[in-house]
Structures are given as C-alpha cells and as structure tokens.
Amino acid sequence: MDLGLADRSILVTGGSSGVGLATVRMLLAEGARVATCGRRADALTAALDGLAGPDRLYHAPCDVRDEAAVEAFTEAAAARFGGLDGLVNNAGASRMKPFAETTADDWRDELELKFFGVLNPLHAALPHLRRSGNASVVNINAVLAKQPETRLMTTSAARAGILNLSTSLSKELAPDGIRVNSVCLGLVDTGQWERRYAASGSPLDYAAWQAELAADRGIALGRLGNADEVAYAVTTLLSPRASYITGTTVDVCGGVNRSIA
C-alpha cells in the first residue's frame, strides 16, 4: 500500500541510531525527504552515509535542548526542502536510578531533555507545519508513561508528562490541520540492551537472555521488539492515509499490559 509520503518533508530528531535511524530509513524508502539531527556529528554521518542524496536527506549535529540550535537546524531543513510536513520527536534516553540515589540535578536534566526535546523542535517547526495543510507530529514515548517502573522513576514521570502534553497539543493544533499522536514503545532491541547484556556477565546467549528479560518484564510475545517495528507505526501515523487519527497513542510493546487505559 502506498502511504502517500512521496515528496513530503519530515524532520526526525535523534536520527543516528535506534528508532530514529529506522524511521529515517523507512521514510526514505517511502519516497519522503528527511531532515535529521543528533548530538554527535561523527555518529550521525556514519549512520546516514549512502542512504540518500542531499536532495532527499539533510542532516546536521544539534542538541534538542538548545533552542537556538534547533531553530537554526529546522530553518535550514525547511529551506532545503521547501517546507515541512511532519515532525518526529525522538531524541531521548532512559535514566535508571532508584529515588534515593536520584539528585535534584538528575530530575532537572531528565525533565529538560524530555520536555524541551519536544517543545523546541515543535516551536521551530510550527510555522512550516501550519503551511503544510496536512501535517503530522509523532512523539516517541514509552509505555512507562502509563505503566511506571520504580527502576526508571525520573523517566517514567517525564514520559507521563509528555503523554499528557501530546493530548493537549492534539486539541490545540487540530484547527491548524496538524495531527499529534504518540507512539509508546516497550523494550526495543537497540544498542543499550546489547551493552546491558555485555555488562551483565550472563552465561546465557543473547537470545536466551532476551527471552528471560521478556519474561521478567511480562512481555506477552516473549521477546524484545526491534526498531523497524516501531518505525512502521511512526511512518503510518505520519502518512496522509492516517488523516483522521489524532490525539491517540499506539503502543508498540509486545503486549506489556499492566493497565487497561
């Protein structure tokens, strides 16, 4: 099925690895033009090398917490492609600390990254999205937003706030023809889990370790997801084919259900 993304221009933050990189690749495969950023120029260049020419792929280093840098990157992307039709707010990471070890600076850093990782790109992109006529914003979130874990207390709290914000934005921006949706992911097999496996000293091979982890976390499908499985949901919500979908959340989590909402 043609998703109707050919020649549409999408900005994706955090595109050097994981879900962000998978989304960039999928959008390019659908014929979209993509602008993406990451904090490390070398990692970004290495990840994107050879994916597309400059007429379809623009990338530059940018920290989403830096309002001026985000503004400059967004304006450069819009100038390169003649506007923007979509935004994927993907930049972010998890902080694994118990409450007793979490400092005030930890809380500030986590909330700044999660909130301004959405707010800065959205503020910068809004004038261009309003001119699109059929724009879409997808906020990459986590099931932690609805199913918090004490091991990830700061991240869970910040994720819940972003889910609330996304719902409010979907209502405020609807009259401008801008849809806002969330994709909440569970455990996805990216580099961080490979590093945790290596650090664990487990006698199990990686597949068996994943299965054990999935059982411990209550994942019905018995495995971790992969970045392409998340990117498919993101790409679908960006598509004009999803033009009647806004204010919703798509969980890509293998059936982790500790709540009914």
Side-chain angles (χ1 to χ4, degrees), residues 2 7 32 54 99 101 113 124 142 149 182 187-188 212 219 231 245 248:
D2 180 6
D7 297 323
F99 178 76
E101 297 176 14
L113 176 59
E149 291 188 17
S182 299
L187 299 193
V188 176
E212 188 176 80
I219 301 174
I245 302 175
T248 195

Side-chain angles (χ1 to χ4, degrees), residues 166-171 179-182 244-249:
S166 298
T167 301
S168 298
L169 287 170
S170 72
K171 299 182 185 304
R179 297 180 292 109
V180 182
N181 294 290
S182 299
Y244 201 51
I245 302 175
T246 193
T248 195
T249 303

Side-chain angles (χ1 to χ4, degrees), residues 131-180:
R131 288 192 286 269
S132 169
N134 189 4
S136 175
V137 176
V138 179
N139 293 325
I140 307 301
N141 208 323
V143 292
L144 293 172
K146 297 180 287 184
Q147 304 176 30
E149 291 188 17
T150 55
R151 289 172 287 194
L152 294 160
M153 192 172 295
T154 54
T155 299
S156 295
R159 292 293 192 190
I162 291 300
L163 190 61
N164 184 295
L165 174 65
S166 298
T167 301
S168 298
L169 287 170
S170 72
K171 299 182 185 304
E172 182 167 327
L173 299 181
D176 293 323
I178 301 171
R179 297 180 292 109
V180 182

Side-chain angles (χ1 to χ4, degrees), residues 62 66-77 120-121 123-125 127-128:
C62 179
D66 185 333
E67 183 178 5
V70 172
E71 179 74 26
F73 169 70
T74 304
E75 290 304 310
N120 285 338
H123 278 302
H128 305 289

Side-chain angles (χ1 to χ4, degrees), residues 64-66 70 111-121 162:
V64 293
R65 294 169 295 188
D66 185 333
V70 172
L111 293 169
E112 182 180 19
L113 176 59
K114 295 299 185 294
F115 276 90
F116 287 97
V118 171
L119 296 173
N120 285 338
I162 291 300

Side-chain angles (χ1 to χ4, degrees), residues 15-227:
S16 61
S17 63
V19 170
L21 179 57
T23 300
V24 169
R25 287 173 172 159
M26 201 165 289
L27 286 168
L28 290 171
E30 289 291 329
R33 296 180 290 254
V34 182
T36 192
C37 62
R39 281 185 288 180
R40 290 179 48 211
D42 56 343
L44 194 63
T45 299
L48 301 174
D49 184 45
L51 288 186
D55 59 324
R56 295 198 46 225
L57 178 61
Y58 169 69
H59 63 87
C62 179
D63 187 331
V64 293
R65 294 169 295 188
D66 185 333
E67 183 178 5
V70 172
E71 179 74 26
F73 169 70
T74 304
E75 290 304 310
R80 172 76 63 94
F81 297 141
L84 291 173
D85 302 295
L87 169 64
V88 180
N89 289 311
N90 169 69
S94 296
R95 186 184 298 271
M96 187 172 286
K97 273 189 177 182
F99 178 76
E101 297 176 14
T102 305
T103 66
D105 284 341
D106 288 334
W107 281 102
R108 292 188 188 96
D109 289 346
E110 186 72 2
L111 293 169
E112 182 180 19
L113 176 59
K114 295 299 185 294
F115 276 90
F116 287 97
V118 171
L119 296 173
N120 285 338
L122 183 57
H123 278 302
L126 262 180
H128 305 289
L129 296 175
R130 287 191 172 109
R131 288 192 286 269
S132 169
N134 189 4
S136 175
V137 176
V138 179
N139 293 325
I140 307 301
N141 208 323
V143 292
L144 293 172
K146 297 180 287 184
Q147 304 176 30
E149 291 188 17
T150 55
R151 289 172 287 194
L152 294 160
M153 192 172 295
T154 54
T155 299
S156 295
R159 292 293 192 190
I162 291 300
L163 190 61
N164 184 295
L165 174 65
S166 298
T167 301
S168 298
L169 287 170
S170 72
K171 299 182 185 304
E172 182 167 327
L173 299 181
D176 293 323
I178 301 171
R179 297 180 292 109
V180 182
N181 294 290
S182 299
V183 171
C184 285
L185 52 104
L187 299 193
V188 176
D189 187 11
T190 58
Q192 65 173 328
W193 288 108
E194 293 176 5
R195 291 190 292 272
R196 289 178 186 177
Y197 167 69
S200 72
S202 173
L204 302 174
D205 63 29
Y206 188 45
W209 183 83
Q210 274 198 44
E212 188 176 80
L213 177 63
D216 176 66
R217 299 297 180 89
I219 301 174
L221 291 181
R223 63 175 177 85
L224 274 62
N226 64 62

